[in-house]
Amino acid sequence: MVEEIRRVGILTGGGDAPGLNAVIRGAVLTGINCYNYEMVGIREGFDGLMNHMPLVPLDRDRVRGLHMRGGTILGAANRGSPFAQKMELPDGTTEKRDRSQEAIERLRELEIDALIVAGGDGTMGISSRLRAIGAKIVGVPKTIDNDLGETDVTFGFDTAIATATEALDKLQTTAESHHRVMVLEVMGRDAGWIALTAGVAGGADAILIPEIPFRMERVFAKIRQINEAGRRYSLVVVAEGAHPHDGEQAYYIGEAGEAAARLGGMGNFVGAEITRVLNTEVRVTVLGHLQRGGTPTPRDRWLATRFGSAAAHMVARQEWGMMVALKGNDLVSVPVERAADVKLINPNSERVQMARDLGITLGD
């Protein structure tokens, strides 16, 4: 049965990524121009929905110029889930409760006939579960890490690697001037797409990624080889989720009261080991959230706008529980639950072999 759709909500979940505002703009303009939908935004991800935050009216004027802005005008929350909402108890303690049915009721109260959700694997997993209990949801894949299954590329990735590559370019000039080893830590929890792509583009000598456990001896050997050849500086790129073959990923604990640890520190570990063994000057740069921020590249603006526009068309076709994805040069619809499958780098792939052919060590 085809139901009438009048009001469409947009929600951005998880961490921000360059291109999210372009998704919003693409969906709003297509929804209004092609279907005369009333478009509204939900603030702060699923938390905003559960906490009854006021809606954001989205019309042509509101989205004018959004394609060039980083971040998301709707805000985002990367730890909120209707299936595990933190509740404060009378004794001052907290517990997590399943309030997913309240989320469905809240959408009905707001008269939102369909919901476009842009997010990563966690957000897509929540969307899939909400769809199973009745929510009319269309997904848009988002992550700077480019590790979502079922789509060849995600928006935000191109901007992230441009930022990381620019950082390597700048580090090389100072490394050459002062005869130092420069270590750059980039994002990449489970997948090393940013590290590998930016590392090759930025002329790195060593690239350490989560998919290939590394041995520091191989990194030492590469730096010694470079020094013996007469070049007195080296560039090492480390994904935050990389780890030694006989060790684990490095974590740091967030603010007091947070239960979840966060990745970070592997760049400092690698830098300290190089200093200890080779007795050379090393500087470590942690790029961190600079990779998420700033103006999206034209490629990310283009892809994000395509995704947003396609999501509005999917709403019109009532493709509930489906996500827009890029396959080759074409946009397709895939089940949203498949986005939870992490797309890792194959250690035997052409792109990895190409890095090896250039003389880059992967540490194995």
Side-chain angles (χ1 to χ4, degrees), residues 194-363:
I194 294 176
L196 181 62
T197 308
V200 171
D205 302 298
I207 301 173
L208 309 180
I209 62 176
E211 295 90 339
I212 303 177
F214 63 88
R215 299 174 185 270
M216 283 305 305
E217 292 79 6
R218 302 297 173 85
V219 179
F220 301 150
K222 182 62 183 180
I223 295 173
R224 288 192 185 103
Q225 178 190 42
I226 291 170
N227 290 341
E228 290 168 0
R231 172 153 66 88
R232 299 175 61 191
Y233 72 92
S234 303
L235 298 177
V236 180
V237 178
V238 183
E240 63 183 354
H243 59 92
H245 77 285
D246 57 352
E248 299 179 346
Q249 293 176 322
Y251 287 84
Y252 72 92
I253 305 299
E255 297 176 2
E258 290 186 353
R262 298 180 183 178
L263 281 171
M266 188 52 66
N268 286 316
F269 167 79
V270 170
E273 286 297 288
I274 294 172
T275 298
R276 181 181 66 84
V277 173
L278 298 183
N279 192 29
T280 187
E281 278 202 74
V282 179
R283 296 293 185 270
V284 178
T285 300
V286 180
L287 207 50
H289 285 76
L290 286 173
Q291 294 156 97
R292 290 193 181 279
T295 302
T297 61
R299 183 176 181 181
D300 273 340
R301 297 184 201 184
W302 167 252
L303 181 59
T305 301
R306 288 183 72 191
F307 277 2
S309 180
H313 289 307
M314 290 168 66
V315 167
R317 296 192 296 267
Q318 303 198 9
E319 296 182 16
W320 313 132
M322 302 297 284
M323 179 188 80
V324 60
L326 183 70
K327 293 291 187 181
N329 293 318
D330 299 323
L331 296 183
V332 298
S333 300
V334 299
V336 70
E337 63 266 17
R338 292 185 187 173
D341 298 332
V342 178
K343 180 179 64 183
L344 302 178
I345 294 174
N346 181 349
N348 299 314
S349 65
E350 173 273 334
R351 67 187 72 230
V352 170
Q353 185 57 49
M354 182 265 291
R356 298 187 194 279
D357 293 343
L358 294 177
I360 301 170
T361 183
L362 280 298

Side-chain angles (χ1 to χ4, degrees), residues 2 29-30 38 49-51 54 72-73 142 153-155 159 171 177 194 243 247-248 263 268 285 301 313 325 364:
V2 177
L29 292 180
T30 301
E38 178 189 0
L49 178 67
M50 303 304 299
N51 295 332
T72 164
I73 61 169
K142 177 273 317 172
V153 182
T154 55
F155 66 88
T159 305
L171 287 173
S177 298
I194 294 176
H243 59 92
E248 299 179 346
L263 281 171
N268 286 316
T285 300
R301 297 184 201 184
H313 289 307
D364 57 337

